[in-house]
Every structure is written in C-alpha cells, then in structure tokens.
C-alpha cells in the first residue's frame, strides 16, 4: 500500500450502538440550550416546564439526555438517569436516579447531606442511603400491579425534601427518565401527580425525559398535566452536521476522508445518526492502515454494515415481531416498493392484506409502540429506520416463498 499510514495504535473513534456517546455530538445545540435555559430558571426560583426529548429510534435521545445531565451535574445539580421499562415501578425509577446521582455530588453540599440521610418508601419500593452515600433499593415481594395509592404522597415528600436541599445549594434536581413512552399508566400517573403537586412550591425538580414520538400522547393519557410539558423533537442531522459527525473525529486523529468517500457515507446514512456512526466506523476499519479513507474503503465497508444491520438493528426487530406483525410489515414494504413512496396509507395496507382497517389497528399500534413504524400524519405510516423496507422485502421471500 502506498500513501501515508496512520499510527497503528489509533483506536476507532466512532461509536455505533445504543446510548454510546458519539465522539462529536453535532446538531443538538438548540436542545442543549433549552436545558441550559431551564436550569437557569430553576436556579432563579422560577418554574420552567418539564422537558421531554422525542424522536425515532437511533436519532440520539439517550446520548443527548446523558449529555444534558452531565452539564447539570457540573452546575452542582443532583441528577441521575433511568431507562424505564414496563415493569419498572415509579419508586424503582426514582431510586435508580438518586443512586446514580448521589455518588457524584460534591460532599459538603446540602443535597449530598439530604441524600445521605434519606429513606423513602414509594409504593412497594424502599430506598435508603448507606453511610458511604450509596443508595440501596429494595422491592417488597408479593405486591403486584405497580405503585400503591399513597405512592404519590411519598414521591411528593421526596421531591419536597430534595427540593429544599437543592434550594439551599442554589441548584436543582433533574430526573433523567428515558423510554418514557413505555412507563405503565399508573406509574406515570403517580409521577405526574407528584410533579404537579410539587409545582405549587418553589420547586427545584426538573423532569428531563426522552421517548418515542408517541410519548406526549401516552403521558397525556395518564394526566393532562403532561400537555403543559415542553417537548423537544429530535430530527435527523442535516448534511452539514452529518459531515462534521464523520469528519471531525478522524481528523482529530490525523486520518482524513477523501471528499468522495465522505459524500458517499453521508448519502448512505440519510442523516440518521446511528447509520453515520456505523458506516464511518466500518469504513475506518476497511481503510486501515492508511491515513486516508477512500471511496473504495467505503464500498468495502457496505457489506459489513449490511451484515451488522441484518444481525442487529433489522434482525432483532424482525425476530421480535409476531407472525401477524411480520405480515403487516411485508404488506407495507410491498406497497411502498410498488408506489415508490416512503409512506403508505394504513387503509391501503389493510386492503393489500384483505382485512378490515379496524382489524389491524391493534397490530399497527403495537408496531408504533415498539418504534418499528411511525405515523407522520393521520392515516399514514412509515418505517422508522432507513432501509428497513428493503430488509423486509428480502425476508418476505423466506416467509411467503415456496
Ligand atoms: N448528535 C449526534 N451526533 C453524532 N452521533 C450521534 C448523535 N446522536 C446520536 N448519535 C449516535 O447515534 C446512535 C444512537 O444514539 P442513541 O442510542 O442515543 O439513540 P436513541 O434515540 O436513544 O435510540 P433508541 O430510541 O433506540 O433508544 C449512537 O451510535 C450515537 O453515538
Ligand atoms: Mg435510547
């Protein structure tokens, strides 16, 4: 091989994955400044609306929420992160957040003291601090069905205690709750009820949530208070931002992208952050040991990316889909191939399947809840990840073929 070589000790800087911090986070300045503005309001004793980031799978909600929490921590806030799942009770979520945040608080602050002396029982969940400042969480056995009726009061008490300490510190408390759309209705109601009641005080508690685009609707079903939240949608990156996300990390390590190679990756990724990391990462590998990434390197990386998607992002969605969900996805993909559009009407999908629209609405809703498809406008549906339609067509021959 001719041309300049890279330092063999260099490590691939790109970060394809779920919640993996990108080497350079681009295009999220607006959302970060919204968080910053809310933090300043809280510190001034005002009450900004709670914030929730919304967006499709892989668009960068988790990494942004973590980045925002890290920024608040630097301001002396108590903040932690919890990924909600359906079986995560609100008490577990709050305990996890505090356990995550407690360890990183400056020792002499009031907030740290409040956490060190804390015990709380929220529903069937008790959490309490050990002398070393770590927080243990225990769940009482044999209590099915989520938060107990008094859970809201216990959560409110916790918010008030922590709020008081945060006020003394001139700081705040941020509850980083990811995958909010999947929180059970009664847990979400408890949380929202406590947040709403806490608003009557000079609250220091700020919800910093994230979830799929269905989150506003889901939360509002639990309590209309959620309609007053500030929802910040995350979109795909612009071409300019995408270029930065790919070029800057390698440039910092002395590895350059040829202009054509860079444009090819940008075209392949469609501004989708996860794809940018994945194509850039695989191209980085195929270009070694050169100090320049060329178009040939990108072409060689494409089958590696496809393999990775087939076994990862696409494959797992397909594996988790029921037979009827698969048939729905296939009908949708075939329809889109025929029309050449990126969007389908759910009525046409039902017709293709020879079924009534109402028969299929539960299937459609389930696929939306899983983040496999989404509805950009009433009666329309779309795949949530670029390229998934082609994958489904390829799989459809396995399902329906001879
Ligand atoms: N602003 C950004 N700039 C560059 N890369 C990014 C950016 N945001 C996210 N990424 C990359 O995109 C990928 C997905 O990010 P992340 O897991 O945060 O998405 P998500 O929206 O939480 O997805 P999911 O809904 O599946 O949880 C990661 O590989 C991450 O490094
Ligand atoms: Mg996420």
């Amino acid at each position: 091989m001719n041309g300049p070589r890279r330092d063999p000790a260099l490590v691939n800087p790109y970060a394809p994955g779920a919640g993996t911090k990108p080497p350079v986070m681009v295009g999220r300045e607006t959302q970060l400044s919204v968080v910053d503005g809310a933090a300043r309001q809280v510190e001034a004793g005002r009450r900004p609306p709670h914030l929730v980031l919304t967006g499709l799978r892989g668009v960068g909600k988790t990494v942004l929420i973590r980045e925002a929490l890290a920024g608040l921590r630097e301001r002396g806030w108590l903040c932690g992160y919890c990924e909600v799942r359906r079986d995560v009770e609100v008490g577990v979520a709050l305990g996890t957040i505090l356990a995550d945040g407690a360890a990183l608080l400056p020792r002499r602050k009031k907030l740290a003291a409040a956490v060190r002396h804390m015990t709380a029982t929220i529903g069937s969940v008790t959490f309490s601090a050990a002398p070393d400042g770590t927080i243990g969480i225990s769940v009482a056995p044999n209590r099915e069905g989520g938060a107990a009726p008094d859970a809201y009061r216990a959560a409110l008490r916790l918010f008030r205690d922590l709020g008081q300490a945060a006020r003394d510190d001139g700081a705040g408390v941020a509850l980083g709750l990811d995958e909010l759309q999947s929180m059970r209705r009664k847990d979400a109601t408890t949380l929202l009820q406590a947040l709403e009641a806490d608003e009557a005080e000079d609250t220091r508690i700020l919800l910093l949530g994230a979830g799929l685009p269905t989150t506003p609707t889901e939360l509002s079903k639990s309590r209309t208070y959620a309609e007053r939240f500030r929802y910040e949608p995350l979109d795909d990156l612009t071409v300019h931002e995408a270029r930065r996300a790919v070029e800057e990390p390698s440039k910092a390590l002395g590895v350059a992208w040829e202009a054509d190679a860079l444009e090819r990756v940008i075209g392949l990724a469609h501004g989708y952050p996860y794809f940018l990391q994945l194509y850039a990462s695989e191209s980085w590998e195929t270009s070694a040991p050169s100090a320049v990434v060329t178009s040939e390197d990108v072409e060689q990386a494409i089958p590696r990316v496809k393999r990775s998607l087939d076994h990862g992002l696409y494959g797992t969605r397909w594996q988790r889909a029921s037979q009827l969900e698969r048939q729905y996805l296939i009908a949708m993909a075939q329809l889109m191939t025929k029309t050449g559009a990126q969007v389908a009407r759910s009525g046409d999908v039902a017709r293709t399947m020879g079924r009534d629209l109402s028969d299929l609405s539960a299937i459609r809703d389930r696929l939306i809840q899983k983040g496999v498809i989404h509805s950009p406008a009433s009666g329309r549906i779309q795949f949530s990840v670029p390229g998934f339609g082609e994958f489904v067509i390829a799989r459809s021959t396995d399902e329906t073929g001879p």
Side-chain angles (χ1 to χ4, degrees):
M1 199 203 72
N2 300 318
R5 291 180 169 239
R6 72 178 67 159
D7 176 349
L10 285 183
V11 175
N12 187 335
Y14 298 102
T20 42
K21 189 177 174 173
V24 177
M25 164 120 45
V26 296
R28 303 303 185 217
E29 295 77 12
T30 311
Q31 290 83 4
L32 285 169
S33 77
V34 168
V35 176
D36 193 60
R40 275 188 283 125
Q41 282 191 303
V42 169
E43 288 162 10
R46 308 251 300 279
R47 285 180 225 138
H50 295 292
L51 297 173
V52 179
L53 310 168
T54 62
L56 299 176
R57 293 249 168 256
V59 85
K61 301 177 293 297
T62 300
V63 296
L64 184 57
I65 214 177
R66 285 185 185 279
E67 179 85 2
L69 291 173
L72 293 174
R73 236 169 230 148
E74 276 179 23
R75 304 173 79 107
W77 283 46
L78 166 63
C79 37
Y81 172 89
C82 176
E83 185 182 315
V84 177
R85 290 184 309 272
R86 278 199 74 69
D87 54 350
V88 170
E89 235 184 84
V90 64
V92 172
L94 293 175
T96 306
I97 286 171
L98 294 186
D100 183 32
L104 296 157
L105 278 171
R107 289 208 125 251
R108 278 177 297 112
K109 295 281 188 178
K110 283 276 180 11
L111 264 170
V115 169
R116 269 202 302 280
H117 295 112
M118 186 187 63
T119 54
T121 299
I122 298 180
S124 57
V125 182
T126 299
F127 43 91
S128 54
D132 66 355
T134 58
I135 292 181
I137 304 171
S138 64
V139 182
N142 306 325
R143 275 284 298 278
E144 301 281 320
D150 62 346
Y152 134 76
R153 258 179 256 288
L156 178 59
R157 208 171 310 124
L158 175 76
F159 290 166
R160 290 196 172 150
D161 289 349
L162 291 175
Q164 179 61 51
R167 214 167 295 134
D168 294 344
D169 280 350
V173 178
L175 310 174
L177 279 168
D178 204 353
E179 301 283 345
L180 258 183
Q181 81 287 340
S182 62
M183 195 173 217
R184 266 185 312 208
R185 189 76 59 86
K186 46 170 89 166
D187 288 297
T189 305
T190 304
L191 175 72
L192 295 175
Q193 217 178 347
L195 287 173
E196 186 171 2
D198 185 54
E199 232 184 52
E201 308 275 303
D202 164 19
T203 183
R204 293 281 165 153
I205 312 288
L206 184 69
L207 171 68
L208 189 51
L212 293 177
T214 52
T215 309
T217 316
E218 289 303 321
L219 288 183
S220 306
K221 281 186 205 158
S222 296
R223 206 159 170 88
T224 51
Y225 172 56
E227 288 165 7
R228 304 212 297 271
F229 289 2
R230 176 163 182 162
Y231 294 96
E232 280 293 322
L234 296 194
D235 291 321
D236 286 340
L237 302 172
T238 64
V239 169
H240 173 68
E241 290 159 354
R243 272 194 205 114
R244 286 189 50 212
V246 173
E247 204 173 17
E248 288 183 10
S250 58
K251 207 173 186 175
L253 300 174
V255 173
W257 284 76
E258 263 183 17
D260 287 354
L262 184 62
E263 292 316 305
R264 179 80 170 119
V265 165
I266 302 307
L268 287 162
H270 304 282
Y272 182 50
Y274 174 67
F275 276 14
L276 284 167
Q277 298 296 331
L278 189 58
Y279 278 105
S281 172
E282 292 298 342
S283 305
W284 168 279
E285 295 298 333
T286 51
S287 65
S290 167
V292 180
V293 187
T294 66
S295 304
E296 292 86 70
D297 298 324
V298 177
E299 294 310 318
Q300 270 186 41
I302 292 174
R304 295 168 59 127
V305 169
K306 285 211 179 319
R307 250 196 320 276
S308 154
L309 289 171
D310 286 355
H311 290 104
L313 193 70
Y314 297 157
T316 50
R317 271 150 206 249
W318 189 250
Q319 291 303 330
R320 281 195 223 119
S322 70
Q323 204 58 30
L324 199 53
E325 286 171 358
R326 288 182 185 182
Q327 284 169 15
Y328 193 93
L329 294 172
I330 290 170
M332 207 178 135
Q334 286 173 338
L335 205 62
M336 285 157 95
T337 312
K338 206 154 79 188
T339 59
Q342 294 296 314
V343 185
R345 286 172 186 274
S346 35
D348 292 342
V349 176
R351 246 190 310 283
T352 311
M353 293 175 74
R355 305 281 292 262
D356 277 348
L357 185 59
S358 56
D359 283 356
L360 295 172
S361 65
I363 297 287
R364 191 201 49 209
D365 289 353
R366 212 155 43 232
L367 288 167
I368 291 177
Q369 274 157 21
K370 288 181 178 175
V372 178
I373 64 173
H374 67 279
S375 173
S378 174
R380 318 267 156 136
I381 41 175
Q382 204 167 8
F383 290 116
S384 296
V385 180
F388 191 61
E390 288 81 357
F391 169 87
V392 169
I393 293 286
R395 281 296 166 285
S396 68
T397 44
D398 306 344
E399 296 282 313
T400 58

XYZ file of all heavy atoms in Angstrom, residues 26 237-248 262 265-266 269-272 276:
167
model
N -23.163 16.379 17.245
C -23.465 17.539 16.395
C -24.964 17.816 16.364
O -25.777 16.929 16.635
C -22.962 17.307 14.941
C -21.453 17.177 14.892
C -23.628 16.090 14.328
N -29.926 14.459 11.209
C -28.953 15.547 11.085
C -28.965 16.122 9.669
O -29.280 15.417 8.704
C -27.559 15.016 11.432
C -27.442 14.404 12.835
C -26.090 13.730 13.030
C -27.663 15.474 13.902
N -28.631 17.392 9.538
C -28.517 17.997 8.210
C -27.223 17.488 7.560
O -26.360 16.920 8.242
C -28.429 19.533 8.300
O -27.210 19.857 8.987
C -29.612 20.131 9.055
N -27.092 17.736 6.259
C -25.892 17.279 5.546
C -24.638 17.889 6.187
O -23.629 17.204 6.413
C -25.988 17.653 4.053
C -24.650 17.445 3.340
C -27.074 16.828 3.381
N -24.714 19.145 6.518
C -23.560 19.823 7.115
C -23.195 19.183 8.458
O -22.024 18.907 8.738
C -23.884 21.308 7.281
C -22.844 22.074 8.020
N -21.591 22.298 7.502
C -22.856 22.619 9.263
C -20.883 22.967 8.391
N -21.621 23.170 9.473
N -24.206 18.924 9.280
C -23.944 18.303 10.588
C -23.402 16.887 10.426
O -22.483 16.476 11.143
C -25.244 18.268 11.413
C -25.715 19.636 11.888
C -27.192 19.677 12.240
O -27.907 18.680 12.008
O -27.642 20.726 12.732
N -23.992 16.162 9.461
C -23.550 14.783 9.224
C -22.077 14.757 8.822
O -21.302 13.917 9.293
C -24.412 14.146 8.138
N -21.672 15.689 7.959
C -20.255 15.767 7.550
C -19.362 15.952 8.765
O -18.338 15.299 8.906
C -20.045 16.958 6.610
C -20.286 16.609 5.196
C -19.738 17.698 4.269
N -20.487 17.633 3.039
C -21.306 18.575 2.592
N -21.445 19.706 3.249
N -21.962 18.405 1.478
N -19.782 16.858 9.634
C -18.977 17.115 10.846
C -18.873 15.864 11.709
O -17.807 15.531 12.219
C -19.604 18.242 11.676
C -19.424 19.620 11.087
C -19.889 20.672 12.084
N -19.301 20.445 13.395
C -19.902 20.732 14.558
N -21.100 21.254 14.565
N -19.304 20.494 15.692
N -19.996 15.160 11.860
C -20.012 13.967 12.726
C -19.041 12.911 12.224
O -18.446 12.179 13.010
C -21.422 13.396 12.792
N -18.874 12.840 10.894
C -17.988 11.820 10.323
C -16.542 12.310 10.263
O -15.608 11.596 10.620
C -18.478 11.432 8.902
C -17.488 10.496 8.222
C -19.857 10.790 8.986
N -16.373 13.550 9.817
C -15.027 14.029 9.502
C -14.215 14.422 10.741
O -13.027 14.101 10.845
C -15.160 15.234 8.563
C -13.914 15.439 7.735
C -14.101 16.528 6.690
O -15.054 17.337 6.816
O -13.272 16.579 5.767
N -14.868 15.110 11.668
C -14.106 15.692 12.783
C -13.401 14.660 13.675
O -12.247 14.848 14.035
C -15.000 16.628 13.612
C -15.290 17.911 12.863
C -16.124 18.909 13.670
O -16.331 18.699 14.878
O -16.569 19.896 13.058
N -16.432 10.741 1.814
C -17.269 11.409 2.815
C -18.695 11.568 2.282
O -19.669 11.232 2.960
C -16.649 12.777 3.153
C -17.355 13.568 4.244
C -17.340 12.830 5.569
C -16.673 14.943 4.425
N -20.692 8.288 2.308
C -21.207 7.909 3.632
C -22.402 8.784 4.015
O -23.415 8.291 4.528
C -20.097 7.994 4.710
C -20.682 7.960 6.106
C -19.124 6.842 4.541
N -22.298 10.056 3.707
C -23.408 10.967 4.025
C -24.673 10.523 3.279
O -25.768 10.505 3.833
C -23.049 12.434 3.621
C -21.771 12.904 4.328
C -24.203 13.397 3.873
C -21.764 12.749 5.803
N -26.148 7.275 4.785
C -26.702 7.369 6.154
C -27.996 8.168 6.236
O -28.708 8.075 7.239
C -25.669 7.970 7.091
N -28.322 8.939 5.209
C -29.560 9.737 5.207
C -29.693 10.612 6.458
O -30.819 10.808 6.950
C -30.796 8.833 5.143
C -30.811 7.905 3.975
N -31.150 8.301 2.717
C -30.504 6.588 3.877
C -31.067 7.279 1.885
N -30.665 6.231 2.575
N -28.598 11.067 7.018
C -28.676 11.942 8.197
C -29.068 11.233 9.485
O -29.285 11.866 10.519
N -29.140 9.899 9.404
C -29.563 9.122 10.570
C -28.332 8.875 11.459
O -27.374 8.225 11.021
C -30.161 7.820 10.039
C -30.715 6.878 11.069
C -31.602 7.310 12.045
C -30.374 5.533 11.048
C -32.118 6.424 12.966
C -30.886 4.643 11.966
C -31.761 5.101 12.924
O -32.272 4.237 13.847
N -24.677 6.962 10.561
C -23.432 7.723 10.370
C -22.301 7.069 11.150
O -21.199 6.869 10.641
C -23.614 9.174 10.831
C -24.394 10.064 9.874
C -24.773 11.361 10.562
C -23.585 10.337 8.613
